[in-house]
Amino acid sequence: MSCPACFSGTIHDGTPAGTETVLHGLPTYIASPAPSEGMEVKAAVVIVSDALGWKFTNTRCLADAMAAEGGGGGGGGGGWRVYVPDFMDGNAAPPTLLSLFDALLYPSPSWISTLLKPFHLLRVLATILPFQIRNRFSVTYPRVERFVRAVREEEASGVGVGLGVAGYCWGGKHATVLASLLRDVDGEGEEGEREKRTLVDAAFTAHPGGLSLPADIANLRAPWSMAIGDDDFVMPVGEVEKAKEALKKSEGPEAMEARSEVVVYPGAKHGFAVRGNPGDENDRRRGVEAREQCLSWLKRWFAKGRWVEGYQ
């Protein structure tokens, strides 16, 4: 699902410091912690981006910050490697769409700008409609799950290596559904029987788009955290309350409410965690706080270890 707010916001200054490669069949931006003597990579985090895709400067700089800041504290004594794959198969929305939406949504500074609004509208529709078709959930989700399973089997297969997923806007539904998946692993019982563990150790999402509530969170198994603004018309306050109630009603040996959080940011609009205006002090602060929420949540659950069926 896409909406005008999914294509509005600010492009941040900054130069991404990571590298590009092809990983598990997908072009991928990789942000790694600064090398230091004796440090091991102790966690892998997969970002499922917003509509602007894997090349968007804001998302890459966010990945850099997560890689730089993630390994401290409860992250297990090592650094994090953060992956931003191209889950859209080259069909991400162009960053120029942000300025087009500004021209449409805000008052025109001149009569010429007013006359150009229909032209801008046509350009927007010519971009958004193909985007929605090419990047619908049924097409993109299988790519996301395959990639995350491959990372679990290879980059995050070692003892004590955590795997987290962070989904923003367009990627929020993907990250949430991943948090409901289990995988078979070799057990530690007398007969070495197989047991179920969650695919990811923890999931985070900010201002998710396209969630079906309460269905998409009814079967959550991995710890799940959401950052949402109280001025987000994609998920209004009523939908946020519906999500909270669904988490309270979840079943299991340990209720999902104890392994989830919903943090509401007063005054925040859709997209604030990635595309907020850094020149606005409130926007800047909310963006930093949302990043810290993500980091804190993943650190907490990486330190606790992997979840098995039965929520041990």
Side-chain angles (χ1 to χ4, degrees):
M1 194 272 300
S2 300
C3 64
C6 297
F7 303 100
S8 61
T10 305
I11 300 176
H12 298 174
D13 294 330
T15 302
T19 59
E20 291 186 11
T21 188
V22 175
L23 184 67
H24 305 307
L26 296 180
T28 302
Y29 177 81
I30 301 178
S32 299
S36 62
E37 186 175 352
M39 189 192 73
E40 298 179 357
V41 173
K42 300 299 292 182
V45 179
V46 178
I47 291 181
V48 191
S49 72
D50 65 7
L52 282 297
W54 78 295
K55 288 191 174 184
F56 188 39
T57 296
N58 298 18
T59 301
R60 292 189 171 196
C61 289
L62 175 62
D64 290 346
M66 291 175 65
E69 301 170 19
W80 294 6
R81 185 160 287 144
V82 183
Y83 303 94
V84 188
D86 178 15
F87 291 128
M88 300 178 187
D89 195 28
N91 294 306
T96 53
L97 204 56
L98 299 182
S99 59
L100 281 177
F101 261 102
D102 285 347
L104 275 176
L105 299 177
Y106 295 104
S108 301
S110 68
W111 64 269
I112 295 178
S113 299
T114 301
L115 290 177
L116 288 174
K117 281 184 180 288
F119 173 68
H120 294 323
L121 176 61
L122 291 175
R123 291 180 63 191
V124 165
L125 293 176
T127 301
I128 289 181
L129 295 179
F131 174 90
Q132 291 178 320
I133 294 170
R134 294 166 181 162
N135 295 308
R136 61 192 184 276
F137 185 79
S138 61
V139 171
T140 55
Y141 177 75
R143 294 184 198 132
V144 176
E145 183 178 334
R146 281 195 301 269
F147 185 91
V148 172
R149 286 191 181 277
V151 170
R152 172 56 91 188
E153 292 301 318
E154 297 189 27
E155 286 76 16
S157 62
V159 176
V161 179
L163 175 60
V165 62
Y168 295 86
C169 192
W170 176 88
K173 181 179 178 77
H174 299 75
T176 299
V177 173
L178 286 170
S180 70
L181 299 183
L182 298 171
R183 62 193 177 91
D184 288 320
V185 298
D186 291 331
E188 299 177 356
E190 295 180 357
E191 300 181 0
E193 68 274 10
R194 304 285 278 176
E195 65 180 12
K196 297 284 189 182
R197 292 192 179 185
T198 56
L199 175 60
V200 298
D201 299 310
F204 168 82
T205 181
H207 38 79
L211 281 185
S212 298
L213 296 174
D216 282 342
I217 61 175
N219 297 312
L220 287 172
R221 295 177 182 270
W224 179 82
S225 173
M226 179 173 71
I228 191 76
D230 66 359
D231 193 18
D232 188 327
F233 75 86
V234 176
M235 184 181 286
V237 173
E239 290 294 290
V240 175
E241 292 304 316
K242 186 185 296 185
K244 291 180 179 179
E245 287 301 313
L247 293 170
K248 290 179 182 179
K249 295 177 181 177
S250 63
E251 300 178 354
E254 184 177 349
M256 191 65 214
E257 185 181 17
R259 294 177 291 109
S260 63
E261 67 175 7
V262 176
V263 179
V264 179
Y265 290 79
K269 299 180 182 296
H270 190 72
F272 75 95
V274 180
R275 303 185 305 276
N277 181 3
D280 180 287
E281 178 56 30
N282 289 326
D283 266 14
R284 187 201 64 78
R285 174 179 49 79
R286 295 181 194 115
V288 170
E289 290 176 354
R291 184 176 78 240
E292 291 175 347
Q293 178 187 339
C294 176
L295 292 170
S296 175
W297 186 254
L298 295 181
K299 286 179 184 179
R300 172 184 173 184
W301 295 102
F302 288 165
K304 288 180 177 292
R306 298 176 184 173
W307 284 82
V308 299
E309 191 173 34
Y311 317 126
Q312 298 179 14

